[in-house]
Amino acid sequence: MAQRHDVLSFDTETDLIGPGNVVPNLVCLQLGWFEGEDIVTSLIARADPGFNEAVEAFLRDPRLKVGHFAAFDMAVLLKAFPQHAELIFQNYADGRVVCTKLREKLATLSTSGRVDEIVLPDGSRRRASLTMDELVLKHFAVDISADKKDPDSWRLRYVELRDISSSQWPEEALRYARDDGFWTLALWQAQEEAAPNEAGPRSMACQAFRAQVDFALYLQTAWGMAVDLQERDRIAEMLSGELAPEKLAPLIEAGILRPGESPRPHSRQVAKAREIVPFNDSSDITPEQRAVLEAAGIKFTAAVEPSIDTKLLQELVTSACGKVGIEPEQTPTGAISTDAEMLDALAGADTVLDCFIHRQGLMKLVTTELPALTGAVVHPNYDSLKETLRSNSYGNRKGRPALYPATNIQQKDPRARGCFVAREGQVLLS
């Protein structure tokens, strides 16, 4: 176990993450260390004299370096100082970088069998993303979430200070940055006190190795995968033809598939809309024409997505089971199962059901694969530590802002794999 005087916390503030800026630009570096029982913090901005020398001194410092999501901050430093790549990688190779988020996951895994559970001061448990504010609340019963979630906080505004010396910064900007350095080191200490040794009940064994894995995978996120946009468009064109209403007529006529509807001018404004932009059917209106119409005050209805009548589908599955002489499977709630395994067993039993099976086979491309391929490069995200001790990949998560084009790179539909290509002069190896 590292002694307190041998530990140094680090954190960075940056401009905003976004497409083409997955690893954002460095604005300042914050450090924290122990002086006796107290935690002392410092901050140096890229516009301050001696900034480059201070970063190099930090990377050469022999102390254990502790970050919260350390991989991100080290990637930020690597982008800003590529000349120090060897120093950064040597820190990882020597086991001198650990991450309080990963340490918490390891400790929680060793006690509860989960990596994403947090026990609050009142003893209640809930799933959590193990952000700094969540862990500060858990270990210290201090709520710093306002700083982390306020859209007007300095957390999202450091780009405004990128070319300004820290001596000119507002006090609140300095406080927020220094607090991150303080809480990172305080979390490390709390985790150490909760796990007196690595063989104890709250084990954080292999924490340096897990940090190495996390950094390697985050660099893969940053580099991303190149996309063949022509291949993506070819798939989109194929889907447009295969999912056209005339191809799905058996499903529509049986009432199983309710066709979707494009946005259309409100009925009372159709005549006026045709005076502005001639069209035969509302589905023929292009996005450019719609913009013109809306600018002229034409209101549009909301789009209606295609949907499935599950009751009629279940009746069709029951009928097809009778044709082939098998019992329909049921879900835990007692409904007739229409999952992939059930449908595979009924292939060829009914022409309408075959049409549904064909449509279902295309929907992963429509709902998952193509929506992720929005740029020339997409960036697989990774969770480097699951309950199995393995890692996994994921795309943009529901309910969270999409900061950049992302996709799950592990479980790709074979028909979409051809969209991912090597950059010029590179090869892909499996």
Side-chain angles (χ1 to χ4, degrees):
M1 183 173 70
Q3 300 301 309
R4 290 193 303 173
H5 64 270
D6 291 328
V7 180
L8 188 66
S9 71
F10 70 102
D11 185 61
T12 63
E13 302 301 338
T14 66
D15 61 11
L16 295 180
I17 298 172
N21 199 41
V22 175
V23 176
N25 297 304
L26 177 64
V27 175
C28 67
L29 171 68
Q30 307 93 261
L31 303 177
W33 61 92
F34 287 102
E35 289 189 0
E37 297 295 317
D38 298 325
I39 295 175
V40 178
T41 62
S42 70
L43 178 151
I44 187 164
R46 69 185 298 274
D48 289 343
F51 178 67
N52 295 356
E53 293 78 7
V55 171
E56 182 175 355
F58 159 69
L59 293 174
R60 293 188 182 281
D61 194 300
R63 285 177 284 183
L64 180 71
K65 297 170 177 63
V66 180
H68 191 79
F69 192 11
F72 170 83
D73 295 298
M74 278 297 189
V76 168
L77 293 175
L78 178 59
K79 178 181 178 181
F81 294 95
Q83 67 272 30
H84 295 325
E86 185 174 348
L87 276 177
I88 291 171
F89 281 99
Q90 195 62 53
N91 272 280
Y92 275 100
D94 293 343
R96 285 188 283 116
V97 181
V98 296
C99 174
T100 49
K101 181 175 181 178
L102 291 172
R103 280 161 56 89
E104 193 72 23
K105 292 178 81 170
L106 286 166
T108 305
L109 180 62
S110 72
T111 55
S112 71
R114 301 188 64 89
V115 293
D116 57 357
E117 186 174 75
I118 189 168
V119 182
L120 296 175
D122 63 3
S124 62
R125 296 171 179 261
R126 64 177 173 85
R127 295 186 71 175
S129 57
L130 303 181
T131 56
M132 181 179 287
D133 57 305
E134 288 177 330
L135 295 188
V136 169
L137 182 64
K138 171 187 174 179
H139 286 282
F140 305 101
V142 175
D143 187 355
I144 63 170
S145 60
D147 269 349
K148 300 298 180 183
K149 296 172 183 176
D150 181 357
D152 296 321
S153 76
W154 275 104
R155 181 177 68 90
L156 302 175
R157 297 173 51 199
Y158 280 95
V159 66
E160 300 173 23
L161 305 174
R162 188 176 177 199
D163 299 316
I164 300 174
S165 169
S166 62
S167 62
Q168 312 279 321
W169 285 17
E171 183 57 36
E172 189 62 16
L174 291 168
R175 180 200 64 78
Y176 176 91
R178 286 173 174 155
D179 279 358
D180 277 355
F182 172 87
W183 285 119
T184 299
L185 198 53
L187 283 174
W188 176 86
Q189 182 178 21
Q191 290 168 339
E192 289 291 291
E193 291 172 352
N197 60 72
E198 290 205 347
R202 278 175 54 86
S203 173
M204 293 181 290
C206 303
Q207 56 180 290
F209 169 70
R210 302 313 313 191
Q212 294 167 358
V213 173
D214 206 42
F215 186 54
L217 290 176
Y218 189 72
L219 293 183
Q220 290 191 44
T221 295
W223 183 245
M225 293 287 289
V227 175
D228 183 337
L229 297 178
Q230 289 184 331
E231 177 64 11
R232 179 203 63 184
D233 293 344
R234 185 195 67 77
I235 294 175
E237 185 177 354
M238 178 274 290
L239 290 172
S240 179
E242 290 298 308
L243 298 175
E246 54 270 22
K247 281 290 188 78
L248 302 177
L251 283 178
I252 297 171
E253 291 167 4
I256 292 173
L257 175 62
R258 307 182 189 100
E261 292 184 4
S262 303
R264 59 184 61 202
H266 282 291
S267 55
R268 295 181 181 178
Q269 293 185 298
V270 170
K272 181 181 177 182
R274 284 200 171 104
E275 292 175 3
I276 302 170
V277 175
F279 60 88
N280 294 320
D281 188 270
S282 298
S283 61
D284 299 329
I285 298 175
T286 66
E288 294 76 16
Q289 290 172 328
R290 178 179 175 179
V292 171
L293 291 172
E294 287 182 325
I298 302 297
K299 303 294 184 183
F300 278 72
T301 62
V304 177
E305 295 297 323
S307 61
I308 298 296
D309 187 320
T310 54
K311 182 179 178 181
L312 290 179
L313 177 60
Q314 289 169 354
E315 291 175 358
L316 182 60
V317 167
T318 301
S319 173
C321 285
K323 291 180 182 179
V324 298
I326 63 174
E327 285 294 321
E329 295 179 5
Q330 294 185 339
T331 68
T333 61
I336 299 300
S337 174
T338 59
D339 65 14
E341 186 175 349
M342 182 79 257
L343 295 176
D344 286 345
L346 297 174
D350 184 280
T351 55
V352 176
L353 193 57
D354 283 345
C355 186
F356 179 79
I357 293 170
H358 175 66
R359 179 182 183 272
Q360 286 298 96
L362 297 172
M363 291 311 295
K364 184 180 179 183
L365 290 171
V366 174
T367 61
T368 303
E369 301 293 1
L370 290 192
L373 304 180
T374 57
V377 178
V378 296
H379 303 270
N381 294 308
Y382 295 93
D383 183 342
S384 69
L385 179 58
K386 305 300 289 183
E387 288 163 10
T388 59
L389 298 183
R390 299 179 69 180
S391 60
N392 81 336
S393 169
Y394 61 93
N396 290 314
R397 289 177 166 166
K398 291 181 180 179
R400 298 187 185 181
L403 300 177
Y404 46 79
T407 188
N408 177 349
I409 204 65
Q410 286 176 293
Q411 298 171 339
K412 303 310 296 179
D413 188 301
R415 295 164 295 184
R417 287 179 187 159
C419 293
F420 299 97
V421 294
R423 291 171 171 83
E424 184 176 357
Q426 308 291 319
V427 295
L428 300 180
L429 294 179
S430 176

